[in-house]
Amino acid sequence: MPTLQRDWWALPTLQSTNVTLTYVLMRNLTRNPLRTGLTAVAFALPMGIFVLALSLVVVLTEAAAKNEKQLRLAVRNKMALTGYLPDGVRRKIEELDPQRQRLRAVCAMRWFGGRVPDTQDTLTSLACDVDTFPVVYSDFELSPEEGARWQSERRAAVVGDGVARTHGWHVGQRVELKSTIPPYLRLEFMIVKIIANSSPPNMFYFRRDYLRDSLEADGATGAGCNLIWVKCTSAANLRALQQEIDALFANSPSETKSEDENAFISGFVQAIGDIPGLARSMALVVVFIIALVAGNSMMMSFRERTSELAVFKALGFPPRRVFGLVLAESLLLALLGSLLGIVPTATGLALIPRQMLISASFSPPRFSALAVVGALTIGIVVGLLAGVWPAYQALRLRTTDALRRVA
Amino acid sequence: MSAADIELVEVHKHYRKGRIDIPALDGLSLTINAGALVAIMGPSGSGKSTLLHLVGGLDSPTSGAVRVGEAQLARMSERELTAWRSRHVGFIFQMYHLVPVLTAAQNIELPLLLFHMPASERRRRVDTALEVVGLTDRRDHRPSQLSGGQEQRVAIARAIVTDPDVLLADEPTGDLDAKTSEEILNLLSLLHADFGKTIVMVTHDPRAAAYGQRVLHLDKGVLDRDEVNPRVAQAVRV
């Protein structure tokens, strides 16, 4: 670069300036604060929802992985979940492995349909076999004292943390449930255990012998169950037993349908609504919307500054730097908006105790680094996608045409 | 301090609009001496701006040769032209084209970002350029806080801060009132007289053209008249 040699060219520095392209980039975001703000918010809100949705998917996926480890096989009436299976089915299943090498325990359950009196809160309430329940649900981690109380107290109940929190229940408390199915029994229970991280959070387990005796005392039959859980010793044994059990009861009056816990739950959940699928779809819609919003904003910004970008080129800025400037601006805006949505949501999920969010019917999402990284990645990709077309336009911009248009 | 001469030989420049071929320059040949202040006049569509863009390396001729100093522009690639522009040409536009979110000093500093230059050196050059255009006290003002004349002064400072060989001004007073126009033209004359810059100025305004040593009249892409302004030619030491 040639240098000026006049005396005045050597005047002392008056004040500092020192602009950089990064500074220009940052200042460009303040050019139209309202539009930048609205675009950032348009990013932030969906990104917050995205983190929530993804956290929920992660929680559900983790729950599914946890279930898989439990090696539980659900056996039910092939015709319908509400259909009964005779009590003898449990015994016949146990006889498939008398040495208990392939199955650990079998627990039959009967649907109670209990509702908390004076509320509309219907719980997933199941009467379970007293002897095998703690073995089949070893993941509930009943302490020796809790196990002893479950065995000794006929009205013992093990409840999910969601329902306990909703109704302010605690261990040792006596509670009542009223059945929503004939003969509409109203039973009293005593809570012996609250399950942490119960999924779903509105579970209510109690003893089947207590239900049977109560039904018979009321003149109804207490025999039969809706569901039998078989705790297996390995995944291979689970698959083998699944086929053996269904084969055993094939062509009998009580044909069975056996499936692993995740398949059973997903079938059950999908009857209500495919929550993970819904969450994923929502996330996709969110990404699509913000891509449109950001793309539109960047195009508007580019159109307003066509002549300015042309001047950058005229001054000697290489086209690739002008391309980078536009693309970086889009990326910066996307990152800003994404962080605006991600940080408060993730912080909220990380800091707000799960117990405050949980309810009888809602299993809240938990902070997930995966969701945060996923959302940030999406933000970056959307920022790049939104900026690439305006940046390409800037790259191809003919300086002379752009200057002529303005003049 | 540096200047360059300019030579155009049989320059043709055609634009295409759909199927129509529009000639902007039609075999134009001319020479401008180093350190000259030349005004270019002509009706709209006569090829004035096209000529300026070719000399500034913003566009390439359809045929013919354009030389500025040692550089044969017609033979240079887009990348070479871009690099050449940053070092050898300063542009002054009718609409100033300052970056509105930057201060006057920051606008002036922009072209220096293309050079590996210490921050202190950049600051020194910006301060000097501000001093030359008489806007030291407006260094931290944004374009929206400046008058039209002050904005054009900032644009001139931006054009000279890299110490280019040639200054190209496209209607530099087209958006200014008479008094401010005179101030800007005096400033250009100062740059020409004191620093020997080659200045090519496109204008519609005869009063602005009167500041040129030569006035080239273009019409339909050819040189119609080449007038020497004896008063300015005598006054200026080239």
Side-chain angles (χ1 to χ4, degrees), chain A residues 1 29 32 54 56 86 90 104 147 157 235 238 261 263 293 324 393:
Chain A
M1 178 184 172
L29 288 182
N32 190 333
L54 216 60
L56 191 59
R90 171 185 162 174
R104 201 157 275 147
L238 184 144
E261 190 165 359
V293 169
Q393 300 276 80

Side-chain angles (χ1 to χ4, degrees), chain A residues 4 8-9 17-18 27, chain B residues 123-124 139 142 163 195:
Chain A
L4 293 172
W8 54 259
W9 206 246
T17 49
N18 289 134
R27 294 295 300 156
Chain B
R123 276 198 298 272
R124 195 175 63 79
R139 58 175 301 122
R142 298 260 171 79
D163 189 20
F195 306 111

